[in-house]
């Protein structure tokens, strides 16, 4: 704990210079009118507070003193940003758990760890630190809060340090017990707290600690308002999350370290999406929650940007050496963000990216299962922008159970034919390096995982390194690589001219779905262009296997369609599905400049409109309903005008009555008029029916189980005024979109046979 609150207002945690025993023995010691600057303090309080000190004193004299009750603490955690520090409350459930753990520590003197925030954080209660479980984040301070303060320019109350609060509580207890107020607590650093009455407690700072840039002496003496207990301040305490998790979702970000216009990380954006889903569950699935049928959906972020731009690859240093010094901020943004697109198209760094994404998802999945041993729900994946393309390539190259058994299991290393490392090195004539490898505990299986840089770090020269790597490569190549067989992902069709070029180079082909290298960490290496594949994935990439079969793949603002077209893919077979994932949704904003459709690549003969995502409050947005109403009105007006003109023309072209043929026997004039009217109606009907032909049922393939794939969000009214102005924002809107979150929840809970409350529509 720091010795002073510093960022919380400069208060010292040192105990006041008046002890509790002295206050009990001589209550007027520090509060005698003649010995305190009370006459100078009161005007300051009147200026700072709408209610004057005297009014509180009169109220206090009229009411009988209430008996002392111990303050109820609430636990907060600190969130530090670049320019400010804020303290946020835990939920009441988490705060109660922390308080019980704190009481246990006082008895046992041992550390207690409490899982909070849906078990995404662990609080070390004795250490007063909060640690993230699933991602890298600096530990944050937690505090048992009982007393709070707010300055004249502060927007929210801030908690005092625990020692300071303890001193205030002791003085407050004495004042209530003895019913003697106007007590002053002086602190060694110069701060002064005066307890005027139970409802008015103020803190005054020494002149030396005031801001040098204040405009008047009155601002220098402005006091702080002091409040006791969390119930006396305006703070929103969050609701606790259900313990039961129904579904797990991994969310993969796109290019760059920032995910929205506020330059927030993937962790913060996923937190917002999770909060939106919890609110929607409480509003749209309230009945199911009350009946105990559902719990919640857990969303976890998958970060791959830091691994690509970290020290392991050294790519940032390489790029920085060739970057021009001009317009440095723009070039830094380009290097840190836009270059990720080019990195993914590079076979060297693409391997790093897919390895990082797959290994991070598998790591999070394993850790989640450890912390939730009773979880038996399904798992889905979400990809935003480039992250959706990464997931698409991974899911396209996953193996089913039978295929995985033919290859190398994802959790077991490959075994070479040689029995020992010594025999292998002897066969290569490199037995002199046996001691070097054994000194690093490198066995035969570890050797197969080594790359050129690893062997170089061990001091092995270039020639022996090449021998070892070539031996491993020859032993590990599958049979179809040696025979030159070429396999494309089923259902993904390449144009004929591309296929013919591949056929002429089949001797250098490689199966697209080979995944026989078990990669323990993400590192880059030189690309061996002697072996490559021309499938739907990237060149020379070994796609790792996920530890589970995803239930649904959601793509936000995805460029998948564009990348597939650029790779030469013109058509997706309607019967094609991901090997291990049976549902796929392509969700986009109508003004998103990065998003592309998928359905036209499956259904080429029909121009399908995308499915409109309903507003989370039901119906369409007002401006869209108005637009549709005007469209229908114009169509009705057009049909009515055409019908009126047609009738008028027919009346004009009709012969005079005298020239009409005579009425046949038995036919009355009324009957003839009815027949003429029917004829006119029969002529007018085809024009109306032609405007509204019956739409046949369209099948969009099996990529989403026969259901629609493309789903478009409704733009906001302000966005419809200028679509170019909101283009970038449209690409980053998904993290805070309640409509998107509700679509995910509906897809997830529909598979669990849980429907949302239609009263919300």
């Amino acid at each position: 704990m720091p010795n002073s609150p510093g960022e919380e207002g400069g208060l010292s945690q040192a105990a006041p210079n008046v002890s509790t025993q002295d206050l009990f023995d001589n209550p007027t010691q520090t509060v005698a009118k003649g010995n305190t600057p009370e006459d100078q303090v009161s005007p300051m309080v009147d200026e700072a507070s709408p209610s004057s000190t005297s009014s509180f004193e009169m109220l206090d004299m009229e009411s009988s003193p209430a008996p002392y009750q111990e303050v109820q603490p609430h636990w907060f955690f600190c969130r530090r940003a670049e320019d400010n520090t804020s303290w946020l409350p835990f939920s009441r459930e988490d705060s109660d758990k922390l308080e019980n753990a704190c009481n246990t520590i006082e008895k046992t003197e041992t550390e207690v760890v409490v899982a909070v925030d849906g078990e995404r954080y662990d609080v070390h209660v004795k250490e007063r630190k909060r640690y993230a479980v699933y991602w890298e984040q600096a530990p944050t301070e937690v505090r048992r809060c009982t007393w709070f303060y707010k300055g004249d320019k502060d927007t929210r109350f801030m908690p005092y340090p625990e020692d300071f609060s303890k001193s205030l509580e002791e003085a407050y207890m004495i004042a209530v017990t003895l019913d003697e107020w106007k007590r002053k607590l002086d602190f060694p650093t110069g701060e002064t707290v005066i307890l005027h009455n139970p409802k008015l407690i103020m803190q005054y700072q020494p002149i030396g600690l005031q801001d040098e840039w204040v405009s008047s002496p009155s601002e220098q003496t402005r006091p702080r308002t002091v409040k006791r207990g969390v119930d006396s301040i305006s703070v929103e305490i969050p609701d606790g999350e259900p313990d039961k998790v129904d579904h797990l979702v991994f969310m993969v970000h796109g290019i760059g370290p920032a995910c929205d216009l506020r330059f927030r990380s993937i962790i913060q954006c996923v937190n917002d999406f999770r909060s939106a889903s919890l609110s929607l569950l409480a509003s749209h699935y309230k009945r199911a929650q009350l009946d105990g049928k559902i719990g919640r959906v857990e969303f976890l972020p998958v970060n791959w940007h830091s691994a690509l731009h970290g020290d392991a690859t050294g790519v940032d240093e390489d790029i920085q050496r060739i970057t021009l010094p001009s317009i440095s901020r723009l070039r830094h943004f380009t290097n840190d963000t836009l270059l990720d697109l080019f990195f993914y198209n590079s076979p060297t760094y693409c391997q790093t990216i897919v390895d990082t994404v797959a290994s991070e998802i598998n790591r999070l999945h394993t850790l989640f299962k450890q912390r939730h041993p009773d979880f038996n729900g399904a798992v889905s994946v979400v990809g935003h922008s480039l992250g959706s393309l990464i997931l698409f390539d991974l899911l396209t190259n996953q193996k089913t159970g039978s295929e995985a058994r033919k290859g190398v299991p994802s959790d077991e290393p490959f075994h070479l034919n040689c029995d020992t490392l010594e025999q292998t090195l002897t066969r290569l004539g490199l037995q002199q390096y046996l001691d070097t490898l054994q000194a690093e505990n490198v066995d035969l299986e570890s050797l197969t995982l080594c790359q050129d840089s690893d062997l170089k770090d061990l001091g092995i020269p270039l020639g022996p390194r090449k021998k070892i790597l070539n031996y491993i490569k020859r032993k590990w190549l599958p049979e179809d690589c040696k025979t030159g067989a070429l396999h494309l992902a089923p259902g993904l069709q390449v144009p004929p001219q591309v296929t013919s070029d591949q056929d002429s180079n089949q001797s250098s082909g490689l199966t697209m779905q080979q995944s026989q290298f078990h990669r323990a960490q993400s590192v880059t290496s030189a690309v061996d262009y002697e072996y490559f594949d021309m499938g739907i994935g990237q060149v020379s990439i070994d796609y790792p296997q996920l530890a589970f079969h995803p239930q649904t793949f959601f793509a936000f603002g995805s460029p998948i369609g564009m990348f597939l077209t650029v790779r030469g893919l013109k058509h997706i077979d309607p019967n094609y599905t991901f090997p291990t994932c049976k549902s796929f949704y392509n969700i986009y904003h109508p003004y998103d400049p990065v998003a592309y459709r998928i359905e036209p690549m499956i259904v080429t003969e029909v121009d399908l409109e995308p499915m409109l995502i309903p507003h989370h409050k039901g119906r369409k947005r007002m401006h869209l309903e108005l637009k549709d109403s005007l469209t229908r009105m114009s169509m009705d007006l057009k049909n009515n005008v055409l019908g009126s003109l047609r009738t008028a023309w027919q009346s004009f072209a009709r012969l005079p009555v005298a020239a009409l043929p005579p009425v046949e026997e038995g036919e009355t004039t009324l009957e003839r008029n009815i027949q003429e009217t029917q004829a006119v109606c029969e002529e007018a009907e085809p024009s109306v029916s032609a405007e509204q032909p019956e739409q046949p049922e369209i099948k969009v393939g099996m990529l989403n189980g026969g259901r629609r794939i493309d789903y478009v969000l409704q733009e906001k009214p302000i966005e419809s005024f200028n679509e170019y102005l909101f283009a970038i924002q449209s690409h980053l809107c998904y993290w805070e979109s309640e409509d998107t979150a509700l679509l995910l929840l509906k897809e997830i809970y529909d598979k669990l046979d849980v429907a949302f409350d239609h009263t919300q529509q």
Side-chain angles (χ1 to χ4, degrees):
M1 297 290 294
N3 292 329
S4 65
E7 296 168 340
E8 291 79 20
L11 289 180
S12 170
Q13 286 188 244
N17 58 3
V18 180
S19 66
T20 306
Q21 186 63 37
D22 292 338
L23 288 173
F24 272 118
D25 295 340
N26 188 3
T28 59
Q29 177 179 349
T30 61
V31 217
K33 270 195 174 182
N35 299 330
T36 60
E38 185 177 342
D39 296 335
Q40 299 175 4
V41 171
S42 296
M44 293 185 292
V45 175
D46 290 340
E47 182 183 357
S49 175
S51 302
S52 64
T53 306
S54 59
S55 63
F56 277 106
E57 291 172 354
M58 293 175 60
L59 180 63
D60 184 52
M61 288 186 295
E62 294 174 359
S63 59
S64 58
Y68 170 78
Q69 293 182 350
E70 187 177 358
V71 64
Q72 295 298 319
H74 195 92
W75 289 73
F76 283 64
F77 66 92
C78 181
R79 175 179 293 173
R80 300 185 187 276
E82 295 180 357
D83 53 347
N84 65 349
T85 299
S86 58
W87 286 84
L88 304 177
F90 288 100
S91 66
R92 294 196 182 276
E93 293 83 355
D94 288 343
S95 180
D96 291 342
K97 290 192 295 184
L98 292 171
E99 183 65 19
N100 293 334
C102 184
N103 297 333
T104 302
I105 291 176
E106 293 178 356
K107 300 176 182 178
T108 62
E109 297 293 333
T110 58
E111 181 63 279
V112 177
V113 179
V114 177
V116 296
D117 295 336
E119 297 197 21
R120 294 181 297 275
Y121 290 89
D122 283 339
V123 172
H124 294 218
V125 181
K126 187 176 181 179
E127 186 186 2
R128 295 293 198 268
K129 293 292 184 181
R130 170 175 169 263
Y131 294 88
V133 173
Y134 295 104
W135 51 80
E136 293 184 3
Q137 180 179 331
T140 55
E141 181 184 354
V142 299
R143 185 175 292 177
R144 183 179 183 268
C145 304
T146 53
W147 286 79
F148 305 84
Y149 70 89
K150 185 174 78 169
D152 185 59
K153 297 181 180 180
D154 294 335
T155 58
R156 63 175 65 185
F157 279 89
M158 303 284 284
Y160 280 115
E162 294 185 36
D163 291 345
F164 197 100
S165 297
K166 185 177 180 180
S167 301
L168 290 176
E169 182 65 20
E170 290 176 351
Y172 179 85
M173 179 185 64
I174 296 170
V176 171
T177 303
L178 301 179
D179 193 22
E180 295 181 0
W181 297 94
K182 302 187 186 304
R183 296 187 172 276
K184 182 177 70 171
L185 281 78
D186 294 323
F187 290 80
T189 52
E191 293 96 342
T192 301
V193 176
I194 299 180
L195 287 74
H196 293 284
N197 58 58
K199 297 184 179 180
L200 182 62
I201 304 174
M202 309 297 290
Q203 178 208 343
Y204 303 89
Q205 291 180 277
I207 300 299
L209 296 180
Q210 298 295 328
D211 192 347
E212 297 178 357
W213 300 96
V214 293
S215 58
S216 66
S218 62
E219 293 186 14
Q220 291 186 359
T221 57
R222 229 176 254 280
R224 288 173 171 170
T225 303
V226 181
K227 294 292 184 180
R228 177 178 181 265
V230 71
D231 294 333
S232 62
I233 64 174
S234 57
V235 60
E236 183 179 355
I237 299 178
D239 296 328
E241 300 180 16
D243 294 332
K244 179 186 176 184
V245 178
D246 303 319
H247 199 90
L248 174 62
V249 180
F250 296 112
M251 311 190 81
V252 182
H253 65 85
I255 61 173
C259 295
D260 63 0
L261 290 178
R262 288 179 281 176
F263 296 96
R264 296 185 304 165
S265 66
I266 177 64
I267 298 173
Q268 295 171 301
C269 290
V270 172
N271 287 344
D272 273 358
F273 198 88
R274 186 188 304 109
S275 299
S277 72
L278 290 172
S279 299
L280 291 170
L281 285 176
S283 59
H284 289 67
Y285 290 87
K286 184 176 182 180
R287 185 178 306 170
Q289 278 191 337
L290 294 176
D291 294 341
K293 294 181 179 179
I294 65 172
R296 62 183 174 92
V297 178
E298 181 61 277
F299 297 88
L300 295 180
V302 178
N303 185 359
W304 55 266
H305 182 269
S306 57
L308 175 64
H309 294 265
D311 296 335
T313 62
V315 63
D316 284 2
E317 296 180 1
D318 297 337
I319 292 295
Q320 188 61 37
R321 285 198 299 267
I322 60 177
T323 301
L324 301 182
S326 59
I327 52 174
S328 58
R329 292 187 178 181
L330 179 58
R331 295 186 190 278
H332 175 74
F333 173 79
T334 301
N335 293 346
D336 204 32
T337 303
L338 299 181
L339 283 187
D340 287 348
L341 286 172
F342 300 98
F343 286 143
Y344 190 69
N345 285 322
S346 160
T348 300
Y349 296 106
C350 178
Q351 186 68 68
T352 300
I353 294 174
V354 296
D355 282 350
T356 302
V357 171
S359 62
E360 182 68 3
I361 289 177
N362 288 338
R363 182 188 70 84
L364 293 173
H365 181 260
T366 301
L367 186 56
F368 179 85
K369 294 281 285 185
Q370 292 175 354
R371 296 181 67 89
H372 298 81
D374 297 332
F375 175 75
N376 57 0
V379 184
S380 295
V381 291
V382 171
H384 174 243
S385 188
L386 181 61
S388 65
L389 179 65
I390 298 171
L391 288 176
F392 184 89
D393 288 341
L394 275 172
L395 294 178
T396 302
N397 291 276
Q398 293 297 292
K399 296 180 180 180
T400 59
S402 58
E403 292 173 334
R405 285 192 294 270
K406 294 178 183 178
V408 179
S410 58
D411 57 347
E412 295 181 5
F414 184 78
H415 295 275
L416 294 177
N417 295 330
C418 300
D419 295 333
T420 63
L421 175 64
E422 182 178 2
Q423 292 177 351
T424 301
L425 294 177
T426 302
R427 182 174 290 102
L428 296 175
L430 302 175
Q431 59 270 22
Q432 65 270 29
Y433 299 106
L434 178 62
D435 295 337
T436 302
L437 295 173
Q438 289 180 343
E440 297 293 334
N441 293 327
V442 176
D443 56 9
L444 188 59
E445 294 179 357
S446 302
L447 183 64
T448 60
L449 300 175
C450 291
Q451 298 190 0
D452 184 77
S453 57
D454 301 322
L455 299 177
K456 184 178 180 180
D457 292 340
L458 294 177
I460 300 177
L462 178 61
R465 294 203 307 268
K466 292 299 183 182
K467 284 186 178 182
I468 296 174
L469 294 175
N470 183 63
Y471 176 79
I472 294 173
K473 182 176 65 175
R474 286 189 291 107
K475 287 291 184 180
W476 281 49
L477 282 178
E479 292 300 326
D480 50 5
C481 296
K482 300 175 183 178
T483 59
L486 177 68
H487 299 281
L488 297 178
L492 301 176
Q493 300 177 5
V494 178
Q497 63 271 20
V498 177
T499 306
S500 62
D501 293 339
Q502 295 169 356
D503 293 339
S504 62
N505 294 283
Q506 283 188 353
S507 60
S508 59
L510 183 66
T511 58
M512 186 189 65
Q513 293 188 349
Q514 67 164 5
S515 179
Q516 298 187 352
F517 286 86
H518 178 69
R519 299 178 179 272
Q521 57 184 354
S522 295
V523 293
T524 59
S525 60
V527 179
D528 187 354
Y529 285 99
E530 181 182 356
Y531 303 100
F532 63 95
D533 73 78
M534 294 293 293
I536 208 57
Q538 293 292 320
V539 174
S540 187
I541 300 301
D542 295 320
Y543 285 95
Q545 302 297 298
L546 298 179
F548 57 90
H549 290 182
Q551 175 178 281
T552 310
F553 169 32
F554 300 94
F556 294 170
S558 173
I560 292 175
M562 181 269 292
F563 270 85
L564 294 182
T565 303
V566 170
R567 293 175 185 176
L569 186 72
K570 290 187 176 295
H571 179 62
I572 298 177
D573 193 301
N575 295 321
Y576 175 74
T577 61
F578 294 121
T580 60
C581 181
K582 302 307 178 186
S583 298
F584 173 45
Y585 288 85
N586 182 37
I587 302 169
Y588 60 92
H589 190 282
Y591 303 153
D592 189 339
V594 180
Y596 289 83
R597 294 193 61 185
I598 296 294
E599 289 176 347
M601 301 187 69
I602 303 174
V603 183
T604 58
E605 65 276 4
V606 180
D607 186 13
L608 286 178
E609 291 292 329
M611 294 291 291
L612 187 67
I613 299 177
H615 191 268
H616 67 279
K617 293 184 178 180
R619 300 170 61 92
K620 289 184 179 180
R621 292 184 183 271
M622 184 177 297
H623 70 287
L624 293 178
E625 286 194 342
L626 179 60
K627 181 180 178 181
D628 291 344
S629 299
L630 293 176
T631 302
R632 287 194 299 269
M633 186 184 302
S634 63
M635 292 298 298
D636 293 342
L637 182 61
K638 175 184 176 182
N639 293 333
N640 292 335
V641 170
L642 290 177
S644 300
L645 290 176
R646 186 179 295 107
T647 303
W649 173 255
Q650 291 172 348
S651 300
F652 177 78
R654 186 175 303 154
L655 294 175
V657 175
L660 288 176
V663 178
E664 299 180 0
E665 294 183 7
E667 181 183 18
T668 63
T669 306
L670 177 61
E671 291 174 348
R672 173 174 289 185
N673 292 338
I674 293 175
Q675 292 176 359
E676 292 176 355
T677 304
Q678 290 176 348
V680 172
C681 293
E682 289 174 359
E683 293 178 359
E685 283 177 359
S687 63
V688 177
S689 61
E691 298 290 341
Q692 298 177 348
E694 292 185 3
Q695 291 289 343
E697 183 180 356
I698 302 298
K699 297 182 179 180
V700 292
M702 299 305 297
L703 199 55
N704 192 23
R707 297 172 297 175
R708 296 295 301 273
I709 298 173
D710 292 336
Y711 285 77
V712 60
L713 290 166
Q714 303 180 38
E715 71 273 14
K716 297 178 181 178
I718 191 174
E719 295 173 344
S720 61
F721 288 108
N722 191 326
E723 57 191 47
Y724 293 96
L725 185 62
F726 294 94
I728 297 179
Q729 178 179 332
S730 299
H731 182 59
L732 306 172
C733 72
Y734 307 97
W735 305 110
E736 297 178 342
S737 170
E738 293 175 301
D739 300 348
T740 304
L742 184 58
L743 178 64
L744 265 68
L745 293 177
K746 188 176 185 302
E747 164 65 15
I748 290 170
Y749 282 106
D750 279 354
K751 285 183 166 58
L752 297 176
D753 295 327
V754 178
F756 62 83
D757 302 335
H758 291 278
T759 55
Q760 295 293 333
Q761 295 296 310

